[in-house]
Amino acid sequence: MATFDNILSRLKDIQAIEGLSDEAVALLSAPKRMATAELEVDGKTYPAWRIVFNDACGPGKGGIRFHPDVCEDEVKSLSFWMAVKNSLAGLPYGGGKGGVKFDPKTTDKATIEKISRKYVGAFHEVLGQDIDIPAPDVYTNGQIMSWMLDEFEKIKGRHEPGMITGKPLELGGSALRGDATARGGYIVIKEMAQRILGADKGLKVAIQGFGNAGLHITRMLAADGFSVVAASDSQGGIYNPEGLDVAKLVESKEQGIPVGDYASGQKISNQELLELPVDILILAALENQITAANADKVQARCIVELANGPIDYAADKILFSKKIMVVPDILANSGGVIVSYFEWCQNRTGNILDDAYLTDLLYKKMKGSWEAVYAKQQEKPDQIDLRSAAYIIALNRILAAEKYRGHLS
Ligand code: NAD
C-alpha cells in the first residue's frame, strides 16, 4: 500500500467518526501545490519535489529530505502530515515538504552544495517567508539550510532569513533547534509515562534510529532515569536488558562507529529491536517500520513516533486491538516545528527572544497538545486511538479555516 493510501484510509475513518462531508474530505485529500524539477549537477540529474499540501492556516512549512528512496508519494504524505502537525500545534502555518532523490552519504560535500543551490534555483518562486518555509529533515542540516538561504537571497537580491529555518545561530537560527524535536518528544513521554504507565524512573526503552531525533532523546531519557536497553541505526542495533551505557554509546556514535558495532551488549537487527519486551518503543528513523507483517510481534506497552509515519494504517488497527498505546508523530515530534516557528518569528521581527522563555513556551505548547489529544481520546477510549484524536482536532481546525475563507460550504 502506498503511504498516501494509508492517509486516505485514515481520512475515511475520521469522516465516519466526525461526520465530515465528502466535499471536506476531497479538500483534505489533494495537495494545494506540487512543484517538481530535475536538478542538473555535473552532468547528472536528480529528481526533486516541493509540495504544499494545505495553506488555509498560513504559509507552507516543512523540511527537505535528501535520501535515495525519496519519491512523490513520500513527499506528498510528509506534506500532509506537516499540515496536520502544524494545525495541532496551533501554529500559523499550512503544511509543506520537499525532497531530492540521491544518497548524500556517498556524495561529496561540493556536490551536495551544488544540489542544495540548484534546489533553490528550481523552486525559489514557490518559497519565501510568506509562501513556504523549508527546514532540515532526514540527511539535511544547518549547513544545507545556509547554502539554500544564501542562494535564495542571491536570486532575490535581499535578505530574508525567515524563508528557511534550522539555520546556524550566525544566520538567525535558534539555539533551541538542535535538539528541539527530541526535547518536545521527551516532554510528551514524561506526561504519557506518568499518566499511562504510572511511573517513569526505570522504565525500559528501545530506540530505533540514532540521528538528530533518536540520539538526543536517548540522552535525555537516560539522564532522567529511564533505562535505555536497545538502540539502532540504519546498519543495525545493540541490546542489553540491564541498560546500555548511553554516554559511551553516544560518544562512540559521534566518533562515526555504527550503533551495532558498539563494544558492549548483544548485536540485534532493526527488526528484532521492534519486537523487544520494553515499556516504551521509540521510532526515530523512517516510515512504515511497523506494518501488518510485524505489528503482532510488538511487545512494547507504548510506542512513541518521533519519525514521521513509522506505523502504517493496518498496523494501527492491530496495535489498537492489542491495547498498545501509540503517541502519534504529529504530536510527539512537533517540538521541531514549534521551535522553527520561534526562529521564523525572530527573523521576521528582528527581536531576539530569551532562550529560557522559549524553552518554557515549548514546554507549555507540548504539554497543552498532549492534554488536548489525550482528553479527546478519552471521550471514546474504546473506539479511537490517540492518532485519531489528534487528527480530529487538527483537521477540524483546517476545515474551519477553509470555511472562513469561503472555500468550503
Ligand atoms: P537523521 O538523518 O538525523 O537520522 C536518521 C537516523 O535513522 C540515522 O541514525 C539512520 O542511521 C537511522 N536509520 C535510517 N534507516 C533506518 C532503519 N531502517 N532502521 C534504523 N535506523 C535507521 O534524521 P532525523 O532528523 O533524526 O529524522 C528521523 C525521523 O524523525 C524522520 O522520520 C524525520 O522526518 C523525523 N523528524 C525529524 C525532525 C527533526 O527536527 N530532525 C523533526 C520532525 C520529525
Side-chain angles (χ1 to χ4, degrees):
M1 194 187 214
T3 302
F4 196 72
D5 289 339
N6 281 278
I7 288 174
L8 295 177
S9 299
R10 285 192 179 122
L11 277 175
K12 285 223 165 74
D13 286 354
I14 303 296
Q15 177 174 30
I17 298 164
E18 288 291 280
L20 301 180
S21 68
D22 288 344
E23 185 196 8
V25 173
L27 197 150
L28 295 170
S29 302
K32 171 92 190 275
R33 181 171 63 237
M34 290 188 33
T36 58
E38 293 282 333
L39 310 180
E40 279 188 35
V41 172
D42 299 334
K44 278 192 180 170
T45 56
Y46 301 88
W49 293 265
R50 186 70 203 174
I51 300 179
V52 168
F53 202 91
N54 188 281
D55 64 355
C57 298
K61 179 89 193 82
I64 298 174
R65 178 173 293 194
F66 288 175
H67 195 278
D69 297 334
V70 168
C71 61
E72 188 173 297
D73 175 64
E74 181 179 54
V75 181
K76 191 163 72 164
S77 303
L78 287 162
S79 72
F80 173 89
W81 290 323
M82 285 310 301
V84 186
K85 186 188 308 182
N86 292 334
S87 170
L88 180 69
L91 302 177
Y93 292 139
K97 205 80 181 189
V100 185
K101 184 178 168 60
F102 79 107
D103 188 355
K105 282 190 183 173
T106 55
T107 306
D108 63 81
K109 193 174 170 190
T111 307
I112 295 176
E113 177 176 351
K114 286 181 196 167
I115 292 171
S116 305
R117 290 184 182 278
K118 280 273 175 171
Y119 186 89
V120 172
F123 296 125
H124 68 90
E125 284 177 3
V126 291
L127 299 177
Q129 65 178 10
D130 294 315
I131 303 172
D132 182 14
I133 307 131
D137 190 68
V138 174
Y139 300 151
T140 55
N141 55 30
Q143 174 61 77
I144 290 167
M145 300 304 106
S146 305
W147 289 324
M148 290 185 167
L149 173 69
D150 186 64
E151 191 64 23
F152 186 83
E153 292 183 340
K154 242 184 240 168
I155 294 168
K156 303 290 179 188
R158 62 164 191 271
H159 282 292
E160 193 180 314
M163 65 79 48
I164 202 160
T165 60
K167 303 180 290 293
L169 275 178
E170 292 79 358
L171 293 178
S174 164
L176 271 61
R177 184 63 180 88
D179 61 6
T181 300
R183 193 183 294 260
Y186 168 73
I187 293 165
V188 170
I189 289 172
K190 290 282 285 182
E191 294 294 319
M192 181 275 289
Q194 280 156 9
R195 185 76 67 96
I196 312 296
L197 302 177
D200 52 15
K201 305 288 175 217
L203 289 176
K204 285 187 192 292
V205 185
I207 293 148
Q208 184 202 43
F210 217 61
N212 181 300
L215 185 148
H216 289 305
I217 197 126
T218 304
R219 220 178 356 213
M220 289 170 194
L221 292 173
D224 195 22
F226 288 75
S227 173
V228 177
V229 295
S232 69
D233 62 17
S234 59
Q235 297 177 55
I238 196 89
Y239 176 46
N240 180 350
E242 302 308 318
L244 297 164
D245 184 334
V246 165
K248 286 201 177 134
L249 175 64
V250 168
E251 195 184 315
S252 143
K253 176 72 180 174
E254 283 175 347
Q255 285 166 1
I257 299 167
V259 172
D261 291 346
Y262 174 62
S264 94
Q266 176 194 337
K267 265 180 188 268
I268 51 168
S269 68
N270 262 305
Q271 223 19 261
E272 288 166 333
L273 180 137
L274 301 176
E275 298 164 14
L276 290 174
V278 290
D279 297 300
I280 305 173
L281 170 63
I282 299 178
L283 304 172
L286 294 169
E287 297 93 81
N288 301 325
Q289 297 301 301
I290 300 185
T291 64
N294 61 358
D296 250 337
K297 298 183 194 141
V298 172
Q299 298 184 66
R301 294 164 72 195
C302 290
I303 305 178
V304 178
E305 295 182 320
L306 276 196
N308 288 305
I311 299 177
D312 77 3
Y313 177 74
D316 259 352
K317 303 274 175 205
I318 297 169
L319 296 171
F320 189 66
S321 72
K322 289 177 61 161
K323 297 193 173 6
I324 296 174
M325 173 167 274
V326 175
V327 183
D329 45 9
I330 63 162
L331 169 62
N333 71 26
S334 60
V337 72
I338 291 171
V339 171
S340 273
Y341 163 69
F342 298 159
E343 180 178 338
W344 179 77
C345 290
Q346 296 192 128
N347 295 155
R348 295 185 61 119
T349 60
N351 287 332
I352 296 169
L353 301 170
D354 182 56
D355 287 342
Y357 163 75
L358 294 177
T359 303
D360 186 49
L361 206 53
L362 173 65
Y363 174 77
K364 285 182 179 142
K365 281 197 96 49
M366 293 303 308
K367 191 166 186 290
S369 290
W370 156 260
E371 281 170 355
V373 170
Y374 186 62
K376 176 60 74 183
Q377 191 265 342
Q378 286 297 299
E379 287 172 14
K380 297 178 186 172
D382 299 330
Q383 290 170 47
I384 64 169
D385 55 13
L386 289 175
R387 190 189 314 282
S388 300
Y391 272 45
I392 288 169
I393 296 169
L395 294 175
N396 277 326
R397 279 191 192 143
I398 294 173
L399 291 173
E402 294 283 15
K403 269 191 192 153
Y404 279 123
R405 287 177 180 280
H407 299 166
L408 196 61
S409 49

Coordinates of all heavy atoms in Angstrom, one line a residue, residues 22-63:
D22 N -18.4 14.8 2.1 CA -17.5 14.4 1.0 C -16.6 15.5 0.5 O -15.5 15.4 0.1 CB -18.3 13.8 -0.1 CG -18.9 12.4 0.3 OD1 -18.4 11.8 1.3 OD2 -19.8 11.9 -0.4
E23 N -17.3 16.7 0.5 CA -16.5 17.9 0.0 C -15.3 18.2 0.9 O -14.2 18.5 0.4 CB -17.5 19.1 0.0 CG -17.0 20.4 -0.6 CD -17.8 21.6 -0.2 OE1 -18.7 21.5 0.7 OE2 -17.6 22.7 -0.7
A24 N -15.5 18.1 2.2 CA -14.4 18.4 3.1 C -13.3 17.3 2.9 O -12.1 17.7 2.9 CB -14.9 18.4 4.6
V25 N -13.7 16.1 2.8 CA -12.7 15.0 2.7 C -11.9 15.2 1.3 O -10.7 15.0 1.3 CB -13.3 13.6 2.8 CG1 -12.4 12.5 2.5 CG2 -13.9 13.4 4.2
A26 N -12.7 15.6 0.3 CA -12.0 15.8 -1.0 C -11.0 16.9 -0.9 O -9.8 16.8 -1.4 CB -13.0 16.2 -2.1
L27 N -11.3 18.0 -0.1 CA -10.4 19.1 0.0 C -9.1 18.6 0.8 O -8.0 19.1 0.6 CB -11.1 20.2 0.8 CG -10.5 21.6 0.8 CD1 -11.6 22.6 0.9 CD2 -9.6 21.8 1.9
L28 N -9.3 17.7 1.8 CA -8.2 17.2 2.6 C -7.4 16.1 1.9 O -6.4 15.6 2.4 CB -8.7 16.7 3.9 CG -9.4 17.7 4.9 CD1 -10.0 17.1 6.0 CD2 -8.3 18.8 5.4
S29 N -7.8 15.7 0.7 CA -7.2 14.5 0.1 C -6.3 14.9 -1.1 O -5.7 14.0 -1.6 CB -8.3 13.6 -0.5 OG -9.2 13.2 0.5
A30 N -6.1 16.2 -1.4 CA -5.3 16.5 -2.5 C -4.4 17.7 -2.2 O -4.9 18.7 -1.5 CB -6.1 16.8 -3.7
P31 N -3.1 17.7 -2.6 CA -2.3 18.8 -2.3 C -2.6 20.1 -3.0 O -3.2 20.0 -4.1 CB -0.9 18.4 -2.7 CG -1.1 17.2 -3.5 CD -2.4 16.6 -3.3
K32 N -2.4 21.2 -2.4 CA -2.7 22.5 -3.0 C -1.7 22.8 -4.1 O -2.1 23.3 -5.2 CB -2.5 23.6 -1.9 CG -2.6 25.0 -2.3 CD -4.0 25.5 -2.2 CE -4.2 26.9 -2.9 NZ -3.9 28.0 -2.0
R33 N -0.4 22.5 -3.9 CA 0.6 22.8 -5.0 C 1.7 21.7 -5.0 O 2.3 21.4 -3.9 CB 1.2 24.2 -4.7 CG 2.2 24.6 -5.7 CD 2.7 26.0 -5.5 NE 3.3 26.3 -4.3 CZ 2.9 27.2 -3.4 NH1 1.9 27.9 -3.6 NH2 3.6 27.3 -2.3
M34 N 2.0 21.2 -6.2 CA 3.1 20.3 -6.3 C 4.0 20.8 -7.3 O 3.7 20.9 -8.5 CB 2.5 18.9 -6.7 CG 1.7 18.2 -5.7 SD 1.2 16.5 -6.0 CE 2.5 15.8 -6.9
A35 N 5.2 21.1 -6.9 CA 6.3 21.5 -7.8 C 7.3 20.4 -8.0 O 7.7 19.8 -7.0 CB 6.9 22.8 -7.3
T36 N 7.7 20.1 -9.2 CA 8.7 19.1 -9.4 C 9.8 19.6 -10.3 O 9.6 20.6 -11.0 CB 8.2 17.8 -10.1 OG1 7.6 18.2 -11.3 CG2 7.1 17.2 -9.2
A37 N 11.0 19.1 -10.2 CA 12.1 19.5 -11.0 C 13.1 18.4 -11.2 O 13.2 17.4 -10.4 CB 12.8 20.7 -10.4
E38 N 13.9 18.5 -12.2 CA 15.1 17.6 -12.4 C 16.3 18.5 -12.2 O 16.6 19.4 -13.0 CB 15.1 17.0 -13.8 CG 14.0 16.0 -14.1 CD 14.3 14.7 -13.5 OE1 15.4 14.3 -13.3 OE2 13.3 14.0 -13.2
L39 N 17.1 18.3 -11.1 CA 18.2 19.2 -10.9 C 19.4 18.7 -11.6 O 19.8 17.5 -11.4 CB 18.5 19.3 -9.4 CG 17.3 19.5 -8.4 CD1 17.7 19.6 -7.0 CD2 16.6 20.9 -8.8
E40 N 20.0 19.5 -12.5 CA 21.2 19.1 -13.2 C 22.5 19.6 -12.5 O 22.7 20.7 -12.4 CB 21.1 19.6 -14.6 CG 20.2 18.8 -15.5 CD 20.2 19.2 -17.0 OE1 21.3 19.6 -17.4 OE2 19.2 19.2 -17.6
V41 N 23.3 18.6 -12.2 CA 24.6 18.9 -11.5 C 25.7 18.1 -12.1 O 25.6 16.8 -12.0 CB 24.5 18.7 -10.0 CG1 25.8 18.9 -9.3 CG2 23.5 19.7 -9.3
D42 N 26.7 18.7 -12.7 CA 27.8 18.0 -13.3 C 27.4 16.8 -14.2 O 27.9 15.7 -14.0 CB 28.8 17.5 -12.1 CG 29.3 18.6 -11.3 OD1 29.4 19.8 -11.8 OD2 29.6 18.4 -10.1
G43 N 26.4 17.1 -15.0 CA 26.0 16.0 -16.0 C 25.1 15.0 -15.5 O 24.7 14.1 -16.2
K44 N 24.8 15.1 -14.2 CA 23.8 14.1 -13.6 C 22.5 14.8 -13.3 O 22.5 16.0 -13.0 CB 24.3 13.5 -12.3 CG 25.3 12.4 -12.4 CD 25.5 11.8 -11.1 CE 26.4 10.6 -11.0 NZ 26.7 10.2 -9.7
T45 N 21.4 14.1 -13.3 CA 20.1 14.8 -12.9 C 19.5 14.1 -11.6 O 19.6 12.9 -11.5 CB 19.0 14.7 -14.0 OG1 18.9 13.3 -14.4 CG2 19.4 15.5 -15.2
Y46 N 18.9 14.9 -10.8 CA 18.4 14.5 -9.5 C 16.9 14.9 -9.4 O 16.7 16.1 -9.4 CB 19.2 15.1 -8.4 CG 20.6 14.8 -8.4 CD1 21.6 15.6 -9.1 CD2 21.1 13.7 -7.7 CE1 22.9 15.3 -9.1 CE2 22.5 13.4 -7.7 CZ 23.4 14.2 -8.4 OH 24.7 13.9 -8.4
P47 N 16.0 14.0 -9.3 CA 14.6 14.4 -9.2 C 14.3 15.1 -7.9 O 14.9 14.7 -6.8 CB 13.8 13.0 -9.2 CG 14.8 12.0 -9.7 CD 16.2 12.5 -9.4
A48 N 13.5 16.1 -7.9 CA 13.3 16.9 -6.7 C 11.8 17.4 -6.6 O 11.2 17.5 -7.7 CB 14.2 18.2 -6.7
W49 N 11.4 17.6 -5.4 CA 10.0 17.9 -5.2 C 9.9 19.0 -4.1 O 10.7 19.1 -3.2 CB 9.2 16.7 -4.6 CG 9.0 15.6 -5.6 CD1 7.9 15.4 -6.4 CD2 9.9 14.5 -5.8 NE1 8.1 14.2 -7.1 CE2 9.3 13.7 -6.8 CE3 11.2 14.2 -5.3 CZ2 10.0 12.5 -7.2 CZ3 11.8 13.1 -5.7 CH2 11.2 12.2 -6.7
R50 N 8.8 19.9 -4.3 CA 8.4 20.8 -3.2 C 6.9 20.8 -3.2 O 6.3 21.2 -4.2 CB 9.0 22.2 -3.3 CG 8.7 23.1 -2.1 CD 9.4 22.7 -0.8 NE 8.7 23.1 0.4 CZ 9.1 22.8 1.6 NH1 10.1 22.0 1.9 NH2 8.4 23.3 2.6
I51 N 6.3 20.3 -2.2 CA 4.8 20.2 -2.2 C 4.2 21.0 -1.0 O 4.7 20.8 0.1 CB 4.4 18.7 -2.1 CG1 5.0 17.9 -3.3 CG2 2.9 18.5 -2.0 CD1 4.7 16.5 -3.3
V52 N 3.2 21.8 -1.3 CA 2.4 22.4 -0.2 C 1.1 21.7 -0.2 O 0.3 21.7 -1.1 CB 2.2 23.9 -0.4 CG1 1.2 24.4 0.6 CG2 3.5 24.6 -0.1
F53 N 0.8 21.0 1.0 CA -0.5 20.2 1.0 C -1.7 21.1 1.2 O -2.7 21.0 0.6 CB -0.4 19.1 2.0 CG -1.4 18.1 1.7 CD1 -1.1 17.0 0.9 CD2 -2.7 18.2 2.1 CE1 -2.0 16.0 0.5 CE2 -3.7 17.2 1.7 CZ -3.3 16.2 0.9
N54 N -1.5 22.0 2.2 CA -2.6 22.9 2.5 C -2.1 24.2 3.1 O -1.0 24.2 3.8 CB -3.5 22.3 3.6 CG -4.8 23.1 3.9 OD1 -4.8 24.1 4.6 ND2 -5.9 22.6 3.3
D55 N -2.7 25.4 2.7 CA -2.2 26.6 3.3 C -3.3 27.5 3.8 O -3.2 28.7 3.9 CB -1.3 27.4 2.2 CG -2.2 27.8 1.0 OD1 -3.4 27.4 0.9 OD2 -1.6 28.5 0.2
A56 N -4.4 26.8 4.3 CA -5.5 27.6 4.8 C -5.1 28.4 6.1 O -5.6 29.5 6.3 CB -6.7 26.7 5.1
C57 N -4.3 27.8 6.9 CA -3.9 28.4 8.2 C -2.6 29.2 8.1 O -2.3 29.9 9.1 CB -3.7 27.3 9.3 SG -5.2 26.3 9.6
G58 N -2.0 29.3 7.0 CA -0.8 30.1 6.8 C 0.1 29.5 5.7 O -0.2 28.5 5.0
P59 N 1.3 30.0 5.6 CA 2.2 29.5 4.5 C 2.7 28.1 4.7 O 2.6 27.6 5.9 CB 3.5 30.5 4.6 CG 3.4 31.1 6.0 CD 1.9 31.2 6.3
G60 N 3.1 27.4 3.7 CA 3.6 26.1 3.8 C 4.8 26.0 4.8 O 5.5 27.0 4.9
K61 N 5.0 24.9 5.5 CA 6.1 24.8 6.4 C 6.4 23.3 6.5 O 5.6 22.5 6.8 CB 5.7 25.3 7.8 CG 6.8 25.2 8.8 CD 7.7 26.4 8.8 CE 9.0 26.2 9.5 NZ 10.1 25.5 8.8
G62 N 7.7 23.0 6.3 CA 8.1 21.6 6.4 C 9.5 21.4 5.8 O 10.0 22.2 5.0
G63 N 10.1 20.3 6.2 CA 11.5 20.1 5.9 C 11.8 19.6 4.5 O 10.9 19.4 3.7

